[in-house]
């Protein structure tokens, strides 16, 4: 549910819960091994007695015992296992399940039938599940063994030094230097490129559209899958617009970037990390926390960042980010720039890469989501690639570490809210200084954060959007005992009058599973929210 809150409620909107999203995405991970693959031991042939063990009291010559296996994932690291047993032996039967992670469990069955079991893995990965069914005489009598592979739906993050994978302007990552045509797409090779492994599940890309001649938007999706109806980067004529995307990688190792516009555009894609279904770094969301504001000297020296210069930011070991964090999730904003340029964010201890995170024009205030590795000293560097000074703001929204437990599950892109759609949202535009709350979480939900793309459009004046977890529980909203939350001192995206602006949000669900979207402006706005993934701790 999402609802506009304030002096009075403007309406309600039903959304798919994080629990349903996780369950649906995980259910695609199914594995099986039929009963005829059972390895049978000490079963008597027809007309003969068992040679290796005495016959059980209920067994007969030519007895049979076999087990078929099927497994379905239910969350990031949990398997529901079904053992289909066929037995003509006596009872009871004993099942010993080797889960493939060094643990096992013992269960019992009364004969032919289905035995359901469940197991939670402590780490994401690929496992071999082996089930052995013993007859009434246990290990001394007949048995049947079957095994099957199982791969967890959850994936963990590996940071990658910022690297350009695609630039249509000079032909990097493409057959030739050429714009991506109207209603056309660029294919980006991810798996096996620049050290990215072949089994990559999803990739973090900063996608920039530039040299635009008309309005449109870009959609990122896995090659070989159906093109979604959602959007990742919106642009107008003359724009150079970046946006971070976390996108699944096709089975052939490619990601597609589709130009949904009436004119050709140039596309740039820079990688900063990837997800695999092997143990690496989980995610911990945090409440948005301001680490840097050059306007007031927070986190660095006070004053604009000069052109062609950079400053370092201590990330780990401060303000809730532990020393073991390998990468950090940020929202980076540039404001008051004297002329056009770009910001590049990269780990300390290395030279600035040939990539960009935020592109801006003179006088523009614009933000972009960033996921960046942290240097060995726990610091990152922000470089002003423009020729003139600009102010920079950095908000931390989460971090990746080996000790973090939340694994990422991409979901089929889904439009969760569009305030322009009266059938979905009858309350109309989001009013000035009001907020919408969305109950993505629910009771017993194991989700910790949502990966969303927020887009603001039909803007009447300048402003910014703030996204943060809500301190109220749903029951407090339902019985009207909630306390209107206060927007934190952070921004998710910034806009000027008439602009359509998107930004990726890794939105923490907090303790109550509710996320707030604050309109921090004096004008109505329309808000679009697309869902791309869930971080799940189970």
């Amino acid at each position: 549910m999402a609802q506009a809150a304030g002096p009075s409620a403007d309406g309600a909107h039903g959304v798919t819960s994080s629990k349903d999203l996780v369950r649906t995405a995980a259910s695609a991970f199914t594995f099986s091994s039929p009963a005829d693959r059972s390895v049978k031991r000490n079963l008597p042939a027809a007309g003969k007695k068992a040679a290796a063990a005495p016959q059980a009291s209920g067994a007969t010559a030519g007895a049979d015992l076999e087990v078929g296996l099927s497994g379905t994932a239910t969350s990031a690291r949990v398997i529901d296992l079904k053992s289909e047993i066929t037995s003509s032996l006596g009872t009871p039967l004993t099942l010993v399940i080797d889960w493939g992670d060094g643990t096992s469990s013992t269960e019992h069955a009364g004969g032919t039938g289905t035995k359901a079991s469940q197991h939670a893995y402590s780490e994401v990965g690929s496992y071999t599940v082996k089930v052995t069914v013993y007859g009434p005489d246990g290990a001394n009598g007949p048995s049947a063994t079957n095994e099957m592979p199982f791969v967890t739906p959850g994936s963990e993050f590996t940071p990658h030094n910022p690297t350009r994978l695609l630039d249509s302007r000079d032909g990097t990552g493409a057959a030739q230097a050429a714009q991506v045509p109207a209603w056309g797409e660029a294919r980006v090779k991810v798996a096996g490129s620049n050290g990215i492994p072949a089994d990559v599940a999803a990739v973090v890309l900063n996608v920039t559209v530039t040299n635009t001649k008309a309005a449109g938007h870009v959609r990122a999706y896995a090659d070989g899958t159906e093109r979604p109806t959602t959007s990742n980067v919106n642009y107008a004529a003359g724009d150079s617009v970046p946006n971070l995307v976390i996108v699944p990688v096709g089975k052939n190792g490619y990601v597609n970037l589709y130009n949904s516009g009436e004119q050709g555009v140039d596309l740039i894609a820079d990688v900063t990390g990837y997800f695999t279904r092997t143990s690496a770094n989980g995610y911990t969301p945090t409440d948005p926390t301001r680490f840097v504001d050059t306007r007031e000297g927070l986190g660095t020296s006070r004053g604009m960042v000069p052109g062609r210069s950079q400053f370092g930011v201590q990330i780990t070991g401060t303000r809730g980010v532990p020393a073991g964090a390998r990468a950090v999730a940020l929202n980076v904003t540039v404001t008051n720039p004297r002329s056009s340029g770009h910001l590049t964010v990269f780990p300390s201890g290395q030279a600035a890469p040939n990539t960009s995170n935020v592109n801006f024009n003179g006088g523009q205030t614009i933000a972009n989501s960033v996921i960046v590795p942290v240097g060995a000293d726990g610091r990152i560097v922000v470089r002003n690639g423009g020729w003139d000074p600009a102010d920079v703001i950095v908000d931390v929204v989460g971090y990746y570490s080996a000790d973090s437990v939340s694994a990422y599950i991409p979901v089929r892109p889904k439009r969760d809210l569009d305030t322009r759609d009266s059938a979905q949202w009858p309350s109309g535009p989001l009013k000035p200084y009001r907020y919408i709350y969305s109950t993505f979480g629910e009771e017993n939900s194991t989700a910790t954060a949502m990966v969303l793309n927020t887009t603001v459009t039909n803007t009447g004046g300048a402003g910014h959007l703030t996204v943060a977890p809500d301190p109220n529980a749903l029951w407090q909203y339902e019985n009207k005992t909630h306390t209107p939350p206060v927007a934190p001192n952070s921004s998710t995206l910034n806009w000027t009058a008439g602009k359509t602006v998107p930004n990726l949000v890794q939105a923490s669900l907090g303790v109550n599973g509710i996320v707030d979207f604050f309109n921090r402006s004096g004008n109505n706005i329309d808000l679009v929210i697309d869902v791309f993934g869930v971080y799940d701790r189970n």
Side-chain angles (χ1 to χ4, degrees):
M1 170 186 291
Q3 187 165 331
S8 61
D10 290 339
H13 168 66
V15 299
T16 302
S17 70
S18 59
K19 184 185 294 185
D20 289 341
L21 288 171
V22 168
R23 186 183 300 113
T24 299
S27 66
F29 287 72
T30 60
F31 304 86
S32 64
S33 182
D36 60 14
R37 294 183 182 176
S38 298
V39 177
K40 306 174 185 181
R41 302 189 185 281
N42 298 334
L43 286 176
K48 297 181 180 180
K49 296 292 185 179
Q55 195 79 342
S57 59
T60 61
D64 196 16
L65 177 66
E66 60 183 16
V67 57
L69 306 179
S70 61
T72 302
T74 60
S75 61
R77 293 184 291 266
V78 175
I79 178 177
D80 275 355
L81 174 68
K82 290 184 179 179
S83 302
E84 300 282 351
I85 303 168
T86 301
S87 173
S88 59
L89 303 178
T91 58
L93 304 177
T94 301
L95 287 78
V96 176
I97 306 173
D98 179 348
W99 295 105
D101 60 351
T103 68
S104 62
S105 58
T106 300
E107 303 191 18
H108 301 281
T112 296
T114 302
K115 183 66 178 180
S117 312
Q118 188 179 79
H119 182 68
Y121 291 95
S122 60
E123 297 285 353
V124 302
S126 301
Y127 300 94
T128 298
V129 179
K130 182 168 71 174
V131 177
T132 301
V133 182
Y134 296 98
D137 292 329
N140 295 320
S143 68
T145 300
N146 201 349
E147 62 182 40
M148 69 173 189
F150 176 74
V151 180
T152 61
S155 56
E156 293 192 348
F157 182 74
T158 298
H160 191 288
N161 284 335
T163 306
R164 185 143 292 175
L165 297 185
L166 173 73
D167 190 336
S168 64
R169 300 171 302 178
D170 61 17
T172 298
Q176 60 181 357
Q179 285 201 324
V180 180
W183 320 115
E185 62 188 19
R187 297 174 73 240
V188 183
K189 188 179 190 310
V190 175
S193 177
N194 290 277
I196 301 172
D199 62 349
V200 60
V203 65
V204 178
L205 298 174
N206 195 69
V207 177
T208 303
V209 59
T210 190
N211 297 325
T212 59
K213 302 179 183 67
H217 65 269
V218 175
R219 307 177 203 175
Y221 65 102
D223 192 41
T225 64
E226 183 179 355
R227 184 183 301 139
T229 57
T230 51
S231 64
N232 296 95
V233 189
N234 298 71
Y235 61 85
D239 277 351
S240 288
V241 183
N243 199 16
L244 197 72
V245 302
I246 302 177
V247 58
V249 178
K251 293 180 179 179
N252 61 0
Y254 282 82
V255 165
N256 292 337
L257 301 177
Y258 176 73
N259 173 24
S260 181
E262 296 182 353
Q263 298 287 333
V265 299
D266 279 308
L267 291 179
I268 304 164
D270 301 324
V271 61
T272 61
Y274 55 86
F275 293 85
T276 57
R277 295 184 179 94
T278 53
S279 180
N281 298 281
Y283 184 64
T284 297
T286 65
D287 289 351
T289 304
R290 183 144 293 176
F291 269 52
V292 172
D293 190 337
T294 60
R295 299 170 301 180
E296 59 186 59
L298 175 65
T300 188
S301 58
R302 184 175 182 178
M304 287 185 164
V305 182
R308 316 299 289 179
S309 70
Q310 61 195 42
F311 64 91
V313 184
Q314 185 65 42
I315 295 293
T316 65
T318 182
R319 310 191 72 181
V321 181
R326 293 284 312 283
V328 64
L330 311 170
N331 204 69
V332 179
T333 305
V334 61
T335 190
N336 305 318
R338 300 280 177 83
S339 63
S340 62
H342 67 273
L343 297 182
T344 299
V345 186
F346 58 99
S348 65
Q350 67 176 52
N354 181 33
T355 59
S356 63
N357 296 96
V358 185
N359 297 70
F360 53 86
N361 295 317
Q364 184 180 26
T365 298
I366 188 170
N368 196 24
S369 185
V370 176
I371 298 174
V372 62
V374 176
D377 59 358
R379 296 169 67 83
I380 63 170
V381 178
V382 181
R383 178 173 175 78
N384 176 10
W387 292 104
D388 291 304
D391 278 312
V392 176
I393 302 163
V394 178
D395 298 321
V396 171
V397 299
Y399 60 86
Y400 297 88
S401 74
D403 295 330
S404 298
V405 298
S406 296
Y408 181 62
I409 302 178
V411 303
R412 178 169 177 76
K414 170 185 172 58
R415 179 139 294 176
D416 181 72
L417 173 67
D418 188 340
T419 60
R420 300 169 301 179
D421 185 351
S422 60
Q424 181 189 75
W425 180 260
S427 301
L430 178 58
K431 296 177 177 59
Y433 303 107
R434 301 285 292 277
Y435 72 100
I436 287 173
Y437 69 87
S438 290
T439 55
F440 291 108
E442 57 190 314
E443 187 177 1
N444 299 321
S445 173
T446 58
T448 60
M450 306 293 295
V451 175
L452 312 170
N453 203 69
T454 53
T455 303
V456 168
T457 189
N458 297 326
T459 55
H464 66 272
L465 184 78
T466 296
V467 180
D470 193 306
N472 299 286
L474 180 59
W475 64 265
Q476 292 175 291
Y477 277 106
E478 292 175 337
N479 64 20
K480 303 187 186 309
T481 60
H482 66 280
T483 301
V486 177
N489 182 32
S490 64
S491 63
T492 300
L493 60 84
N494 301 69
W495 66 83
T496 54
K499 282 290 189 179
T500 296
V501 182
N503 201 8
L504 182 87
V505 185
Q506 302 215 101
S508 170
L509 293 179
V511 296
N512 297 308
I514 301 177
V515 179
D516 294 329
F517 301 83
F518 296 90
N519 174 11
R520 309 298 294 162
S521 78
N523 299 92
N524 289 346
I525 62 169
D526 276 310
L527 176 64
V528 181
I529 303 172
D530 295 327
V531 180
F532 289 91
V534 182
Y535 286 99
D536 183 52
R537 67 173 181 267
N538 197 20

